[in-house]
Amino acid sequence: MADDKKKLTDVQDKLLKEAARAREKAYAPYSKFLVGAAVLMDSGKIYTGCNVENASYGLTCCAERTAIFKAVSEGEKKIKAIAIVLDAPDYGAPCGACRQVIYEFGPKAEVIMGTVTGRYEIRPITDLIPLAFGPDNL
Ligand code: THU
């Protein structure tokens, strides 16, 4: 992934590549907006996901949540980093619902927002969801 910013680490690069590959599996016949995600858990394992739409539109599951729910359902609980790849000019930020779910399992997670053309932006989840409501607030 070439960009004009500081170089990606090997792990960040791998996550973006895995997310791009997962994007090819997206089921998005309604929006035609394909999204892929790859989440790195504390164990070192990577889980991927794509958006899965439905004729009943509101049932759509975003790529990020597909990946995270796959990881959690395999017994993983801690997100280290998550990469998202979509087709946008600069980068694609996760939707609000996904930010909340990322925060639940990774209050210190790094979010790598990539595009199909190789651009990217990297931010901690707390930049994307400031003053977040999480498990510690209950
Ligand atoms: N989408 C994602 O997969 N992740 C996001 O963070 C934003 C939106 C999907 C949902 C829907 O299938 C399509 O993109 C258009 O909103």
Side-chain angles (χ1 to χ4, degrees), residues 46-97:
I46 293 172
Y47 296 81
T48 60
C50 60
N51 51 333
V52 183
E53 298 187 346
N54 193 278
S56 176
Y57 301 159
L59 300 184
T60 292
C61 189
C62 291
E64 299 91 317
R65 278 177 290 145
T66 303
I68 293 167
F69 294 160
K70 277 170 71 178
V72 173
S73 66
E74 293 295 326
E76 305 268 7
K77 294 274 187 298
K78 271 250 112 351
I79 297 174
K80 276 175 104 161
I82 183 166
I84 299 136
V85 170
L86 43 71
D87 190 358
D90 292 326
Y91 60 87
C95 79

